[in-house]
């Protein structure tokens, strides 16, 4: 009851503030001049009030979580981080669109506050070699037998067009990358995009998504390509043999593989289990929002957490839980984590703590890429900017769904660092190297 009372007080105060009112019982003596000035400000600041109202709703959700009124503990940002994101400096408008060449370089980002959050000390942004393709997205990393591998989707101009193919590159150290080559090509009836990397025995396999060329919302059967094959006796029983789209990592939990796929019709999300040479759907309750594009991490108590993008435009992350090794998942619930309605990635560091890489925003802006950490998988209390608006190069080419900013991060842990693959402006493949631990 005390938690509920505290939440009510926080909600009442924030609501009154958003409405530009004073709670009842507070001295409210204003003269006529002040009232006139107040009315004029109200007239001129409607837009700011609407933005503030959205922020208040998110803050109220955070207050509910902290007060214990929201039932099951969903992941949340510490109040100081949430406030830093909501009250941080405004991002600039869309990046310029004048075509120009962008050099492929490696650079270290200086320490400076952006979006109200500090920079990640020692972060490196590595731009991968570019081709003649003007659209790039879904940069997926792995490390296999001491070498880094990266695949991504590419096309001449637009997103998910019939010419969309998958490129692959490799590197001995994650910094110096070979010129990419084609890993998977489209057919007359379908185009392809990256799924995930699968290591089976001495083999490295790229699982490839396929979608209908005339309707990208309709998935085709998954395929795969053996990139490295050193063990000819290794069987392929772990390969997923069903029709769906898998856009994120698959986690090994005990003796099984845990992931999630988008099934037809409409690519509805459902967790999947790979166990004993076969794959099946897990039990997944219907909940809040429209969940898509999930990623996973594990809490210290063994609970699996699935974070998801909310396509219903709440501009907050969704979360679901499994306490039985992925067999069943709770109904998705909205968190207080602000999100630009874009894909995130999540996972665990070597010490068991959780991380999340995402675009912290209360609208569709992807101009900031950030990382947050949590020791228990519930309270994320450290967050840093990986790349911000000031780091963006001018957009080089026009194209459908060419979102300015940093899109579709996907991360791995290797060689004492967190490596994040992402695209810049959906036209430059890039990798961020974040040395561990964060300072």
């Amino acid at each position: 009851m005390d938690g509920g009372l505290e939440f009510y007080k926080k909600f009442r105060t924030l609501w009154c503030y958003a409405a530009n009112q004073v709670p009842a019982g507070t001295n409210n003596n204003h003269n006529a001049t002040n009232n006139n000035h107040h009315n004029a400000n109200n007239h001129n600041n409607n837009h700011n009030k609407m933005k503030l109202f959205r922020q208040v709703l998110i803050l109220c959700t955070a207050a509910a979580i902290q007060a214990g009124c929201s039932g099951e503990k969903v992941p949340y940002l510490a109040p100081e981080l949430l406030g830093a994101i909501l009250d941080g400096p405004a991002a600039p408008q869309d990046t310029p669109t004048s075509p120009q060449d962008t050099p492929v370089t490696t650079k270290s980002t200086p320490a400076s506050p952006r979006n109200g959050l500090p920079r990640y000390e020692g972060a490196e942004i590595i731009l991968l070699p570019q081709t003649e393709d003007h659209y790039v997205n879904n940069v997926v990393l792995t490390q296999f037998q001491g070498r880094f591998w990266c695949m991504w989707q590419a096309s001449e101009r637009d997103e998910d067009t019939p010419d969309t193919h998958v490129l692959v590159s490799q590197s001995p150290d994650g910094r110096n990358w070979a010129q990419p080559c084609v890993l998977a090509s489209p057919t007359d009836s379908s185009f392809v995009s990256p799924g995930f990397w699968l290591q089976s025995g001495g083999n490295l396999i790229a699982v490839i998504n396929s979608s209908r060329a005339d309707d990208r919302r309709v998935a085709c059967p998954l395929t795969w390509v053996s990139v490295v094959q050193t063990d000819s006796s290794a069987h392929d029983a772990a390969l997923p043999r069903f029709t769906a789209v898998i856009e994120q990592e698959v986690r090994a939990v005990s003796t099984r593989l845990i992931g999630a796929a988008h099934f037809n019709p409409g690519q509805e999300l459902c967790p999947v289990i790979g166990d004993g040479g076969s794959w099946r759907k897990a039990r997944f309750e219907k909940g809040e929002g429209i969940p898509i594009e999930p990623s996973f991490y594990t809490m210290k108590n063994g609970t699996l957490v699935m974070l998801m993008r909310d396509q219903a435009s709440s501009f907050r992350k969704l979360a679901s839980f499994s306490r039985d090794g992925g067999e069943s998942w709770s109904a998705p619930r909205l968190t207080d984590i602000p999100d630009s309605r874009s894909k995130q990635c999540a996972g665990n560091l070597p010490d068991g703590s959780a991380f999340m890489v995402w675009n912290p925003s209360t609208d569709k802006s992807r101009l900031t890429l950030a990382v947050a950490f949590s020791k228990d998988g519930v309270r994320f209390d450290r967050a840093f900017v990986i790349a911000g608006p000031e780091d963006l190069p001018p957009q080089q080419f026009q194209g459908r769904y060419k979102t300015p900013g940093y899109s579709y991060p996907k991360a791995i842990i290797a060689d004492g660092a967190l490596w994040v693959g992402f695209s810049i402006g959906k036209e430059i493949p890039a990798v961020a190297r974040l040395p561990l631990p964060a300072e």
Side-chain angles (χ1 to χ4, degrees):
M1 293 300 293
D2 290 341
L5 179 61
E6 283 300 311
F7 168 65
Y8 170 76
K9 290 179 179 177
K10 292 178 181 179
F11 181 88
R12 181 169 173 265
T13 301
L14 289 168
W15 181 275
C16 292
Y17 178 53
N20 210 6
Q21 297 174 355
V22 179
T26 303
N27 190 354
N28 191 25
N29 295 324
H30 294 285
N31 56 34
T33 300
N34 287 337
N35 282 333
N36 290 336
H37 179 68
H38 175 72
N39 292 334
N41 286 339
N42 280 344
H43 178 74
N44 294 326
N45 293 323
N46 286 335
H47 177 74
N48 291 334
K49 283 186 178 182
M50 290 302 296
K51 183 177 180 180
L52 177 61
F53 180 72
R54 177 185 291 171
Q55 294 176 355
V56 165
L57 291 180
I58 296 176
L59 285 167
C60 287
T61 305
I65 293 171
Q66 294 178 74
C69 302
S70 58
E72 193 173 46
K73 290 184 179 180
V74 298
Y76 70 95
L77 288 177
E80 61 271 19
L81 296 186
L82 188 60
I85 291 172
L86 298 181
D87 298 333
Q93 298 300 312
D94 289 353
T95 55
T97 57
S98 57
Q100 71 176 50
D101 292 333
T102 301
V104 179
T105 60
T106 299
K107 65 177 181 178
S108 295
T109 54
S112 59
R114 295 295 185 272
N115 196 28
L117 299 175
R119 282 278 187 168
Y120 195 108
E121 292 283 356
E124 298 176 62
I125 306 297
I126 302 130
L127 307 185
L128 276 65
Q130 295 178 253
T131 65
E132 295 181 354
D133 298 300
H134 295 172
Y135 179 90
V136 166
N137 203 16
N138 280 318
V139 180
V140 190
L141 288 165
T142 194
Q143 188 184 48
F144 181 71
Q145 296 180 349
R147 295 187 68 85
F148 288 85
W149 293 83
C150 185
M151 61 176 168
W152 62 90
Q153 77 179 68
S155 54
E156 182 179 358
R157 184 180 188 275
D158 299 324
E159 181 173 288
D160 291 349
T161 47
D163 68 320
T164 301
H165 51 282
V166 178
L167 299 176
V168 64
S169 179
Q170 59 176 306
S171 168
D173 55 11
R175 293 184 174 92
N176 300 284
W177 291 86
Q179 190 65 25
C181 60
V182 175
L183 177 65
S185 300
T187 67
D188 292 339
S189 59
S190 64
F191 65 88
V192 290
S193 62
F196 61 95
W197 292 105
L198 183 64
Q199 299 185 22
S200 176
N203 302 332
L204 176 63
I205 301 168
V207 178
I208 305 296
N209 295 312
S210 298
S211 300
R212 270 179 39 179
D214 59 349
D215 188 348
R216 68 175 188 160
R217 298 169 299 177
V218 180
C220 301
L222 291 163
T223 60
W224 50 87
V225 178
S226 292
V227 179
V228 178
Q229 186 169 3
T230 60
D231 183 3
S232 59
S233 64
H235 60 82
D236 60 359
L239 293 170
R241 302 175 184 275
F242 51 82
T243 298
V245 170
I246 301 180
E247 292 184 327
Q248 67 290 317
E249 75 284 353
V250 171
R251 291 178 65 88
V253 178
S254 185
T255 59
R256 60 177 56 169
L257 297 175
I258 304 297
H262 300 86
F263 291 89
N264 299 328
Q267 298 200 354
E268 180 178 348
L269 180 69
C270 184
V272 293
I273 304 167
D275 190 8
S278 63
W279 288 77
R280 66 184 186 278
K281 290 183 178 180
R283 295 186 297 276
F284 188 39
E285 300 178 28
K286 184 176 178 58
E288 298 177 319
I290 302 176
I292 63 172
E293 298 175 354
S295 55
F296 303 88
Y297 66 86
T298 305
M299 291 183 176
K300 288 291 182 68
N301 63 6
T303 298
L304 292 172
V305 181
M306 180 166 57
L307 291 178
M308 295 156 284
R309 163 179 172 171
D310 181 18
Q311 195 66 3
S313 296
S314 68
F315 296 103
R316 289 150 59 190
K317 286 300 179 192
L318 291 163
S320 175
F321 305 88
S322 175
R323 295 181 173 84
D324 54 12
E327 288 287 347
S328 61
W329 293 84
S330 64
R333 295 179 53 190
L334 287 168
T335 72
D336 78 323
I337 302 171
D339 177 61
S340 64
R341 206 186 80 172
S342 61
K343 182 175 176 55
Q344 76 294 314
C345 67
N348 292 98
L349 301 180
D351 65 359
S353 58
F355 71 85
M356 169 183 61
V357 181
W358 88 117
N359 303 113
S361 176
T362 55
D363 54 30
K364 290 185 178 180
S365 166
R366 300 182 184 180
L367 301 183
T368 297
L369 183 67
V371 59
F373 299 96
S374 171
K375 290 184 178 180
D376 60 5
V378 179
R379 175 187 170 93
F380 285 84
D381 55 6
R382 291 186 301 149
F384 306 88
V385 169
I386 300 172
E390 69 284 359
D391 303 312
L392 285 171
Q395 184 175 338
Q396 301 178 75
F397 311 102
Q398 296 297 309
R400 185 180 65 184
Y401 306 134
K402 291 291 287 290
T403 307
Y406 310 96
S407 292
Y408 281 49
K410 302 180 184 185
I412 63 170
I413 304 292
D415 296 347
L418 176 64
W419 300 79
V420 184
F422 58 97
S423 68
I424 301 175
K426 290 190 176 180
E427 57 188 23
I428 303 174
V431 172
R433 180 187 180 276
L434 311 181
L436 297 175
E439 297 296 336

